[in-house]
Amino acid sequence: MALITERVAQARSGTNDKVICRMASGWAVMGDVQFLPGYCLLLPDPVVASLNDLDTEARTAYLLDMARLGDAVLQATGALRMNYEILGNSEPELHCHLFPRYASEPDDKRTMPAWFYDWKNAQPYAEVDHGEMRKTIAQLLKTTPSA
């Protein structure tokens, strides 16, 4: 089973501990690692190969959810800005990475894509360390109208 399909199945069954909340287009989840606090993803449900495989209504919903999630992460973290990345090269199923970017990042990383961080040695998501942020983002999404 492909990774995004697996994570969506876990979200549906309640076994994905990184779920922030269900959104109109899919699932908001915290990233597996938290080198940038608040890093999260938007996973579509149902899973499709790419943004181009969604009809206009589903595409609109997905992109609106992406922006709403970014707004909530910005508010929860106080980050300087958000980076949104939809790649799909190594995991060929639609998913969007949302990276909060901070003024406090090291100079050699701040202006580079988040992929330049050391992912292998990054702090893994842990409910004890990141659960409050996950809950704050969920609450912000719950209290912000979707349209």
Side-chain angles (χ1 to χ4, degrees):
M1 181 181 301
L3 182 60
I4 303 306
T5 296
E6 180 181 322
R7 297 294 173 92
V8 168
Q10 291 169 344
R12 286 178 187 157
S13 70
T15 59
N16 184 334
D17 67 339
K18 296 170 190 72
V19 167
I20 298 168
C21 66
R22 179 72 162 99
M23 299 186 76
S25 68
W27 298 90
V29 298
M30 298 297 291
D32 288 350
V33 293
Q34 292 292 305
F35 54 87
L36 292 167
Y39 162 52
C40 58
L41 297 96
L42 179 60
L43 311 178
D45 191 356
V47 176
V48 295
S50 76
L51 188 64
N52 306 92
D53 293 315
L54 298 174
D55 65 25
T56 301
E57 185 178 328
R59 188 179 296 186
T60 300
Y62 187 82
L63 294 172
L64 178 60
D65 282 350
M66 186 180 74
R68 287 185 63 233
L69 180 53
D71 288 342
V73 172
L74 273 174
Q75 191 173 345
T77 63
L80 185 63
R81 65 176 300 116
M82 290 298 299
N83 287 174
Y84 301 87
E85 295 193 24
I86 299 175
L87 303 168
N89 298 326
S90 60
E91 294 297 333
E93 296 174 309
L94 177 61
H95 60 287
C96 179
H97 299 268
L98 290 87
F99 296 107
R101 301 307 297 260
Y102 298 92
S104 60
E105 290 178 63
D107 290 342
D108 65 328
K109 300 281 192 291
R110 188 173 47 252
T111 60
M112 303 298 287
W115 306 104
F116 283 79
Y117 276 90
D118 182 1
W119 285 61
K120 287 183 177 29
N121 294 308
Q123 180 182 14
Y125 175 87
E127 186 66 18
V128 68
D129 297 322
H130 308 106
E132 283 306 310
M133 181 174 298
R134 182 184 60 76
K135 291 173 189 169
T136 298
I137 295 167
Q139 186 60 38
L140 288 165
L141 287 166
K142 186 177 182 180
T143 60
T144 305
S146 61

